[in-house]
Amino acid sequence: MNLQRWRNRTRSWAFAAILALALMPLGCAEDNDDGTGPGDDIERIQQIFPTSLHAARLGKATFYEAADGFQSLTGIPMSELACTKCHATTYADGSPVDHATYAPGCRDCHVDPEDPGAEEVSDQTCLGCHGRQGAEQNLFQDVHRSAGMECMDCHTEREMHGDGNSYASFLAPGASDAACERCHTVSADDNNYHQIHLATVHCSACHVKSVSSCYNCHFETEVVQEKKRYFNQTPRTGFKMLMNFNGKVHTATFQSLTHDGESFVAIAPFYGHSITKEDISCRDCHLQGGNGNPNVKAYDETGKIVVTSWNPSAQGAERLVGPSGVIPIPGDWKTSLEFTFLQYTGDVNDPINGAQNLPSWDYLKSTADGSHIVYGSPLTQEQMDALIDH
């Protein structure tokens, strides 16, 4: 079997990315195989695959069924939702997927499951399911993509196939192998920014240009149509949140939802595929002499950060203002962060179309009936003070 093509794919691309970021290269991983890859033991992979995130899909349930999760407002069990059966339109070989009988399996990614190494898994196959990452490719520039890198140059075979352990989420310890340090090795002596931040701030906090959010998912549509309807069907960008995750300040995003007049917001660590070397400034995050990050300034002066607001005098998608810039998550985030929640006034069976649906979206409220953070934690008071230069 031609399975060697599963390996030794990252060396040249990783080196190109190192040059693109102009960091200090001390070498990359020889390949993307950590010893738990397919080798020639397809039977073993088939045995452990059910424990993988691709098969078990525990992440959505972990967030939804948390004690303070969205289920506490909807009262609808996860077992009655189609979330865990989400799938692409076709299998990797192009044949259509029957939603009624679908179950995760080898055909999702491999054109020929009997000879998986005969053809590499393309990024387009990955993006058939990972829609947010597909949208990112249309929304953002990224130095890794510009260098020709592909999904599996960072994400390993162990992530795809599992390792025999069940992980509650992609954010759970041990679930992911992707890490900047696999290719980039930097020293605190590289520059002043690294001297100040390297020990406590994750690479993403500075180098991720923007994250995204599919704003205000309409849960009633998800229940009835098993499809996602959200405001304008275009992700909101131009912002990134900051929170603590795995011992460092990390980028994060949020998801707002409504159901039957009740509102909910979840915040979680998130890595946006919008990596840049340029346009990084201290004032993006900090106040210096009272000037800089407007969100930090607002929090310092009022104790509030308006993440989004509603302008009824504007037209179309412009009625929703924000989110914008670097948004720190303070310890009192449940009361200090203000979100605008929307309602869809059309019929739940309306076809999902951004432009056609847009007039039926309207303001609902500016208070959250429920909220949670499952992974990571808000910034400490000391960290918030460090953003404010008096």
Side-chain angles (χ1 to χ4, degrees):
M1 255 179 292
N2 181 16
L3 292 173
Q4 188 59 32
R5 296 175 65 181
W6 284 75
R7 296 187 166 94
N8 298 323
R9 298 177 48 208
T10 64
R11 191 177 297 128
S12 60
W13 298 129
F15 181 68
I18 292 173
L19 293 178
L21 282 175
L23 296 176
M24 180 184 296
L26 292 183
C28 282
E30 284 295 310
D31 52 43
N32 224 358
D33 179 18
D34 58 4
T36 60
D40 56 0
D41 192 354
I42 295 178
E43 182 178 353
R44 180 180 63 83
I45 296 300
Q46 292 173 333
Q47 290 175 349
I48 64 175
F49 179 71
T51 67
S52 69
L53 284 169
H54 275 125
R57 305 186 177 191
L58 300 179
K60 294 177 181 179
T62 296
F63 281 83
Y64 183 73
E65 296 178 338
D68 57 352
F70 194 42
Q71 182 177 295
S72 64
L73 295 183
T74 69
I76 301 175
M78 188 74 178
S79 59
E80 296 183 14
L81 303 177
C83 300
T84 56
K85 287 191 69 175
C86 182
H87 58 77
T89 305
T90 66
Y91 291 107
D93 64 3
S95 60
V97 176
D98 180 0
H99 180 70
T101 61
Y102 170 78
C106 304
R107 294 179 64 198
D108 291 344
C109 301
H110 298 290
V111 172
D112 182 2
E114 297 300 319
D115 188 7
E119 185 172 334
E120 290 184 354
V121 176
S122 70
D123 277 9
Q124 290 309 307
T125 297
C126 302
L127 299 177
C129 287
H130 295 278
R132 186 186 296 253
Q133 285 66 42
E136 286 180 332
Q137 294 201 6
N138 296 321
L139 295 168
F140 309 127
Q141 295 293 315
D142 179 273
V143 296
H144 298 109
R145 286 198 305 274
S146 297
M149 292 179 68
E150 300 177 346
C151 300
M152 288 195 67
D153 290 324
C154 293
H155 296 283
T156 65
E157 296 164 8
R158 185 187 73 89
E159 289 181 42
M160 307 301 113
H161 298 140
D163 58 10
N165 299 308
S166 293
Y167 296 99
S169 165
F170 186 71
L171 297 173
S176 171
D177 296 316
C180 305
E181 296 80 4
R182 288 182 56 150
C183 290
H184 300 286
T185 304
V186 296
S187 166
D189 296 328
D190 287 349
N191 57 52
N192 290 334
Y193 302 108
H194 291 154
Q195 290 177 20
I196 296 170
H197 292 309
L198 193 61
T200 58
V201 178
H202 186 262
C203 307
S204 64
C206 290
H207 289 287
V208 166
K209 185 70 173 178
S210 175
V211 297
S212 60
S213 175
C214 301
Y215 201 84
N216 209 117
C217 282
H218 186 246
F219 192 70
E220 288 88 340
T221 298
E222 182 89 17
V223 173
V224 173
Q225 294 197 40
E226 299 182 352
K227 297 179 180 178
K228 297 187 183 299
R229 190 199 313 271
Y230 57 93
F231 183 71
N232 198 36
Q233 297 301 116
T234 301
R236 306 297 287 194
T237 62
F239 76 100
K240 58 184 176 184
M241 291 178 157
L242 296 180
M243 68 186 303
N244 287 308
F245 181 57
N246 288 340
K248 291 189 175 184
V249 177
H250 197 285
T251 48
T253 190
F254 70 94
Q255 183 65 62
S256 56
L257 309 96
T258 56
H259 177 259
D260 197 22
E262 293 193 288
S263 56
F264 184 85
V265 62
I267 297 175
F270 183 81
Y271 180 94
H273 293 74
S274 59
I275 300 300
T276 182
K277 179 196 170 190
E278 308 299 335
D279 302 323
I280 301 168
S281 167
C282 297
R283 292 188 178 186
D284 291 343
C285 296
H286 295 267
L287 289 182
Q288 294 180 324
N291 296 311
N293 187 333
N295 294 312
V296 172
K297 187 177 181 68
Y299 185 77
D300 182 39
E301 295 178 349
T302 69
K304 298 284 186 180
I305 298 176
V306 179
V307 180
T308 53
S309 60
W310 188 252
N311 180 6
S313 63
Q315 299 294 317
E318 301 302 318
R319 292 174 295 169
L320 181 64
V321 181
S324 180
V326 177
I327 304 170
I329 309 300
D332 60 351
W333 65 277
K334 289 189 176 183
T335 55
S336 61
L337 300 186
E338 292 188 2
F339 298 86
T340 284
F341 296 94
L342 309 178
Q343 59 185 338
Y344 183 71
T345 60
D347 190 276
V348 70
N349 291 297
D350 286 347
I352 297 174
N353 180 286
Q356 294 177 11
N357 295 165
L358 193 54
S360 296
W361 284 97
D362 203 355
Y363 174 81
L364 176 62
K365 62 175 69 173
S366 294
T367 56
D369 297 308
S371 56
H372 74 170
I373 291 177
V374 177
Y375 289 94
S377 61
L379 300 183
T380 65
Q381 187 59 54
E382 181 180 6
Q383 288 172 319
M384 290 298 300
D385 289 342
L387 297 176
I388 304 169
D389 176 16
H390 292 292

